[in-house]
Structures are given as C-alpha cells and as structure tokens.
Amino acid sequence: MGVFIVSYPRALIRNMVLVLIRPVFISLPAWVVLGMWFLEQGFMTFYLTEHTSVAVWAHIGGFLAGAVCGYIFPAMQKTPEYAVGAAADSSTDAGQHLEKMKAAVEKDPSDLGRRHALAIAAANAGDQALSIQEAKYLYARIPDHDMKRRLDIRLLQMSMGESDTTARGMLELAEGFYETGHADKAYPLYRQVLDGWPDHPRRPLVMVRLGEILAEHFQKPQEAIPLLEEVSKGDPRNGLVQEAQFLLKKIIPLKDAG
C-alpha cells in the first residue's frame, strides 16, 4: 500500500459504504483511501492498543517502509549508457547517438527502456519513420495502468506528426493528461470526444471527467451541473453514476453560496 500511494496517488479505488443498510459504491483517489487507512492505524495506536491483538505498529511500519521504497527504488536504478541521450552534450552528433541506440537495442530487443531511448534518438536525428515505428512498438506493450509512460509515447508520436484523431485516440490522450494531473490539457480533448461522438459508449465517463474539471479546476459549477445531472440519472449501482451524484452534492452548495 505504501508503494501504491506514492506510485499511483490519483488511481481511483472503488469503495462500498453502507448508507442506512444500503450499499453505495463510490470511487475515490488512492491517496484519500489509503491515507484514511493510515490515519485509522494511527488512531488505533493511541486508543485501542490495550483492547486488540492486532500489530498496529507493524502495519504503520510496513506502510512507511513501502512508501520510502516507492521513492528510493526508482532512484537507485543505475542509468544505463544508452539512456543518457537526454543529458548528452549539445555537441554530441545525433546520428552517432542514433547508431549507438540501435546497437543497444540489437543486444536486447526486449528491453523497453532501450527502445524508448532509440525512439527519442531517432526523433532527434530526424529519422521519423524509425521513431514512429519504435513508438508504436512501445505503446502496444506498455501496461494500461502506466499512464505516464503511455502519455510520453503518445506525445512523441504527435511530435513526429502522427496524431490519432479517432475517438479512442483522443480519449486515451485525455485520460493520460487527466491521470498525470494535467486537467487543463485533458479538458479540450474530452470536449472533442463529447461533441464529436455523441453516441460514444464511454460518454458517461467523459461527462463525469468534464464535470469534475469544470467544477474543481475551472471553478465553473454552473457548466458542470448539467453534465453530472445527466449521468446521475443512470443505474444507481453504476460507479460512474455514484461518482456523478457525489460530485453534485459537493458542487450544488458551492453554486448556491456563489
């Protein structure tokens, strides 16, 4: 849990809450859910240690150790020679660097880090075809949950003139920006999907995202409410419907106060 909270703090975790004996499902960011769990453990150390056999301090220690490891382990990884391209001296010949990256990939074609470096080196050297080829290879193999790396590859493709203007492509790009904390860049892409594909199967997700961004990032609750209200009328067992209802409860008091 410690590693997860530092690695994916904005990842949504679905929770069940009993309201008058009725289960209600809400999705909250990992930092909220795991942060509340950590506070609960802290509470137990002060008030319940004499009445429970649970090793609460072991939970707290394990959580903190995991969080520290989440920060330390990526920094401890040795930067291989082929990945130093971004920090290369300005006098480094781009063509020579590209050949070096090609040789590194030939030694271990399955290493995604090497192929990522090759894609960047190809872009710097002006080899657009090779850069796009490597970017496509990477994008097909990076896990869906690794939003930051997927976004990096998508932006590299766009810099090479390969833009995906399909609904799926724009939605993936929007989700990448949203999950990495760039709501301002995600907003126009969500808006394009909503306006351009009114029957898109993921329309409820797009409307909830737009509603949240309008209300919490742009401070425009009046524009957010119609979008969220439309989603909130769906199946109450649906997580997005519950999220829309939750956002409305937060937004409407703010609107009335304004």
Side-chain angles (χ1 to χ4, degrees):
M1 288 192 290
V3 173
F4 193 92
I5 197 171
V6 300
S7 301
Y8 308 104
R10 291 179 58 88
L12 294 178
I13 298 177
R14 200 176 187 202
N15 302 268
M16 185 186 76
V17 180
L18 290 177
V19 179
L20 299 178
I21 315 181
R22 178 183 177 184
V24 175
F25 295 90
I26 59 174
S27 296
L28 296 171
W31 70 268
V32 174
V33 177
L34 300 181
M36 290 175 62
W37 177 88
F38 185 78
L39 291 176
E40 176 193 25
Q41 300 302 302
F43 172 81
M44 291 176 67
T45 63
F46 286 101
Y47 298 100
L48 300 178
T49 50
E50 296 180 0
H51 308 284
T52 178
S53 61
V54 176
V56 178
W57 281 109
H59 290 172
I60 293 175
F63 186 92
L64 293 176
V68 171
C69 289
Y71 279 113
I72 291 179
F73 284 173
M76 289 178 62
Q77 293 177 356
K78 182 181 178 181
T79 303
E81 292 182 4
Y82 61 80
V84 185
D89 185 85
S90 58
S91 62
T92 301
D93 182 78
Q96 292 179 354
H97 187 62
L98 175 58
E99 293 305 316
K100 188 177 181 180
M101 297 305 102
K102 287 180 179 178
V105 170
E106 287 179 2
K107 291 180 180 179
D108 188 357
S110 64
D111 189 321
L112 297 185
R114 299 186 182 210
R115 303 199 77 131
H116 194 171
L118 175 59
I120 296 172
N124 291 335
D127 192 337
Q128 181 176 348
L130 178 58
S131 182
I132 291 175
Q133 173 187 313
E134 292 302 314
K136 287 181 177 179
Y137 178 92
L138 288 163
Y139 198 81
R141 288 160 178 78
I142 295 174
D144 291 342
H145 63 78
D146 194 347
M147 298 299 296
K148 185 178 185 305
R149 291 186 68 190
R150 291 178 70 84
L151 178 61
D152 287 344
I153 298 302
R154 180 69 77 183
L155 293 176
L156 176 62
Q157 290 176 303
M158 292 176 65
S159 71
M160 291 290 99
E162 179 133 317
S163 299
D164 186 348
T165 57
T166 65
R168 178 181 178 181
M170 285 195 288
L171 186 54
E172 285 185 348
L173 188 59
E175 285 287 273
F177 280 127
Y178 175 84
E179 293 293 343
T180 53
H182 298 87
D184 57 328
K185 294 181 174 63
Y187 176 81
L189 294 164
Y190 283 130
R191 179 60 70 178
Q192 286 184 59
V193 174
L194 184 69
D195 296 340
W197 289 270
D199 298 324
H200 195 279
R202 302 192 70 186
R203 180 181 175 87
L205 170 68
V206 174
M207 297 179 76
V208 170
R209 291 282 193 266
L210 284 171
E212 179 188 350
I213 293 171
L214 283 166
E216 299 187 359
H217 296 275
F218 296 157
Q219 304 301 315
K220 295 181 178 180
Q222 295 86 351
E223 296 181 28
I225 288 174
L227 296 168
L228 296 171
E229 284 182 335
E230 182 174 335
V231 179
S232 69
K233 296 175 183 177
D235 187 343
R237 296 170 296 179
N238 185 284
L240 285 172
V241 173
Q242 294 167 10
E243 188 174 349
Q245 294 171 345
F246 176 75
L247 287 169
L248 281 170
K249 289 178 182 178
K250 292 199 303 181
I251 292 170
I252 290 176
L254 293 175
K255 176 178 176 290
D256 292 342

